Structures are given as structure tokens and as C-alpha cells.
Amino acid sequence: MFEGEQTQTEQRAFTGQLPAPSATSRTLAEAHHRYRDLDDGEIADYIPILAEADPSWFGLSFIDTTGRAHEAGDVEVAFSIQSISKAFVFALVCQARSHEFVHERIGVNNTGLPFNSVMAIELNDGHPMNAMVNAGAIATSALVTGETPAEKWETIRTGLSRFAGRSLELDGRVYRSEIETNQRNKALARLLESYGRIITDPLDSVDIYTRQCSLLVSAHDLAVMGATLADGGVNPVTRERVVSAEVARDTLALLASCGMYENSGEWLFEIGLPAKSGVAGGIVAIAPGKGALGTFSPRLDSAGNSVRGQRACFDLSRALGLNLFASSPEPPHR
Ligand code: GLN
């Protein structure tokens, strides 16, 4: 306590409240209007079928921790979840194993390198580093509960469905398009195997990982899934507990440091929220205790993050007061 600050002793810091529901909905509609004509970035085509996406698709959804939805644009268009699945599979593995286990076996530090980097493995003595890059995600999918690959896949499909509050289905065309062309992910898995860092058949793990990436979601689903992490592991729409509060916390910590790949630092500096993106154009950004944004627009920047989605999250984080690091003294009337 410093001299002259006695009057402050009863004050506590707080991170603010959401604006009124009507203002929140209006803010989303404005952000949608502001960026719907932005045409920067490229649609991912290294998974051939993703190139068929309509570049004009753009949806913004925010679900608060009471389960209320605020939405604008194409929030019901289905697209493959891709890397965003990594966040929720990590949560399922954390729940089934432990905080210490995932820390030690997978790791929680950013590689500073692209999501499909071989060099990251080589530079770190075969350690996958974190569950948000492909190597770490493939190793994480091998740790999911189940005796056989089919059981592990079912654990993932039903687990992610509980986060979404509805039964999620695999898009067979996306799965086949990726499994026929993902030699690089197979090579990453074999490299992990050579270092003794993967516990099952590496190609089985790549197969499970590819299936999880092919699950179809909408921007609305992403917002519900994220809001479950924002709500301490309880889905605010179905009221079902999906993971513990500790697992939700640990997952958000990992997303803050690693969710936006090598751009995670810049993202946190500008937007201040744990988040995860996928190459089909989805982003989920989570404001603990408040809610989550689900965005969808297929054009990506060079790191593989949706351009319109990032711009919208930047504006909405500010306009809705979501930034985790923005605190101020609690107003006396509260
Ligand atoms: N399935 C994609 C891959 O493994 C996911 C990558 C991503 O969304 N960044 O390349």
C-alpha cells in the first residue's frame, strides 16, 4: 500500500460487463457490414476441396454465458472445423489425463514456426511442443480415450458434439480430399515416431486427426463451443458440463499462447483473447466469464488465419470490452 492511496483500499479491479443485448447485436451487425466487402487474403487450396469455398461467405456469432446468441451474416453455413478441433480435443485429453500429463507429454510453448513445421520438431529434440500445431495435435489425438482407432474417433466426435450442443458429422468429401494429399502430416507423425513421441500407430493417429478436422460446424457452433470454455466448461445452451473448470482454464491458457500459431503474440497484443483458427476460415475467440465469438470467412492471411474474421474480432474485442488484460477499478455502483 502506498501513502495517499487509502481511499482505494476497498476497490477491486474488474474486466467490465457486456453491453446490453440490443447494443451487442447491433455491434455485431456493424462489424459484419464494415468487413463484408474486404477481399484481402487467399482461400486455402493445399487441401483441394477447400478451394471450392465461396469467398463471399462471412458470418459472425457471439454467444454469451447465459446462452444468448447475437449474430450477423452466414452463421449457419457449414464448413470443416479444421485446426479449431485441436482446442477441443486437447480439452478432452486434459480431462481424461491430467494437467501434468499434457504439460509433460505434449508441451505448452509456442514453436514460433508455421503450424505444419518439420523444423519445429527437429529443433526441439523430437518434442511436439504444443497441441495447437499439427505435430502436437496428431500426438494428442493418439492420447484420446479408446482401445481402438474407431473408439478414439467416436470419443472425439461425441466430445466435440457436447461442446457444440448438437451431433456433429464428418464431411466425407473433406476427409477424403485431405487424407489423399496429407503426406506432410504423415511425415510429421513418422518423425514423431522416430523420436518415440507417439504412443499408437502414427498413421492411425493421422487418420483420427484428419477426421476430427473434417467435422462440419457453423460460426454459430463455434461460438457455442467457445462459450462452453468461457462458462467454466458448462455448455451455456444445453447446460451440460462438458469439461471441468480447471480443464477449461488450461485450454484457454494454451490458446492464448499458441492458438493463432506464430502470430499468437500479435493476436494477443491486439485482441487480448484466447483463440483458435482453422484453414477453412473459422475462428473462435473466447472471453472467459463473458462469452465467445465464432467467425467464418474463407480468405486467409499468410499464417492461415481468416482475414475478415481477425478484423471483426479486433473491433468486437474493443467494442464489447472483451480484452482479458483490460481491467479498471470496479465502479462504486456495482
Ligand atoms: N487439417 C489441416 C492440416 O492438417 C488443419 C490445419 C489448419 O487448420 N491450420 O493441415
Side-chain angles (χ1 to χ4, degrees):
M1 178 60 53
F2 299 104
E3 246 183 275
E5 284 194 352
Q6 265 71 0
T7 54
Q8 303 276 315
T9 51
E10 294 308 314
Q11 275 193 340
R12 292 184 302 184
F14 91 129
T15 61
Q17 285 174 321
L18 291 173
S22 58
T24 300
S25 296
R26 195 171 55 244
T27 304
L28 257 86
E30 285 165 4
H32 186 270
H33 186 259
R34 195 171 308 128
Y35 295 120
R36 68 182 177 193
D37 294 326
L38 178 66
D39 277 339
D40 295 353
E42 302 293 334
I43 294 179
D45 58 5
Y46 75 99
I47 301 172
I49 200 168
L50 296 185
E52 293 178 12
D54 180 343
S56 73
W57 279 330
F58 184 31
L60 298 176
S61 176
F62 180 74
I63 311 270
D64 65 30
T65 48
T66 71
R68 190 195 302 258
H70 310 269
E71 319 208 281
D74 302 313
V75 291
E76 299 297 344
V77 171
F79 56 94
S80 52
I81 189 169
Q82 298 296 340
S83 275
I84 302 169
S85 64
K86 294 167 178 168
F88 300 96
V89 173
F90 174 80
L92 296 177
V93 170
C94 268
Q95 185 69 51
R97 310 273 180 160
S98 72
H99 178 96
E100 291 72 25
F101 182 92
V102 292
H103 186 180
E104 190 204 325
R105 287 292 284 274
I106 307 293
V108 293
N109 280 326
N110 197 310
T111 63
L113 290 165
F115 64 86
N116 56 3
S117 174
V118 171
M119 203 160 67
I121 303 179
E122 289 294 299
L123 290 173
N124 292 289
D125 196 25
H127 199 285
M129 293 301 284
N130 74 71
M132 298 302 119
V133 291
N134 288 11
I138 293 166
T140 303
S141 296
L143 295 167
V144 159
T145 306
E147 294 295 318
T148 61
E151 281 180 22
K152 287 180 189 287
W153 160 237
E154 196 52 19
T155 302
I156 291 175
R157 198 189 66 77
T158 54
L160 266 57
S161 295
R162 292 169 73 209
F163 274 106
R166 70 176 186 92
S167 180
L168 299 180
E169 300 298 336
L170 175 139
D171 184 330
R173 292 177 69 219
V174 173
Y175 166 73
R176 282 189 297 280
S177 182
E178 180 162 358
I179 204 75
E180 284 163 7
T181 54
N182 65 351
Q183 288 75 13
R184 191 176 180 94
N185 283 343
K186 290 168 186 151
L188 290 173
R190 286 287 187 208
L191 190 55
L192 290 176
E193 180 189 27
S194 77
Y195 282 104
R197 302 278 191 182
I198 193 159
I199 64 163
T200 58
D201 180 282
L203 296 187
D204 282 349
S205 275
V206 174
D207 187 73
I208 296 168
Y209 164 78
T210 308
R211 286 173 189 275
Q212 80 187 45
C213 288
S214 309
L215 282 171
L216 287 175
V217 292
S218 62
H220 173 86
D221 291 326
L222 289 181
V224 177
M225 296 172 86
T228 302
L229 294 174
D231 196 25
V234 174
N235 183 316
V237 178
T238 64
R239 304 308 310 162
E240 182 188 6
R241 175 167 290 288
V242 183
V243 291
S244 69
E246 292 73 22
V247 165
R249 176 201 64 199
D250 291 349
T251 304
L252 294 178
L254 184 65
L255 292 187
S257 61
C258 304
M260 301 300 275
Y261 314 123
E262 69 272 33
N263 285 356
S264 296
E266 272 179 45
W267 169 276
L268 208 54
F269 192 66
E270 299 297 346
I271 293 159
L273 293 173
K276 186 77 204 82
S277 65
V279 287
I283 298 178
V284 62
I286 299 107
K290 292 179 180 162
L293 287 163
T295 74
F296 171 53
S297 178
R299 288 190 197 267
L300 312 177
D301 68 10
S302 60
N305 299 322
S306 164
V307 173
R308 287 182 194 156
Q310 288 183 89
R311 297 288 281 271
C313 287
F314 180 96
D315 289 10
L316 292 169
S317 172
R318 280 169 172 68
L320 302 179
L322 303 180
N323 191 316
L324 275 188
F325 306 106
S327 57
S328 58
E330 192 172 25
H333 62 270
R334 286 189 80 243

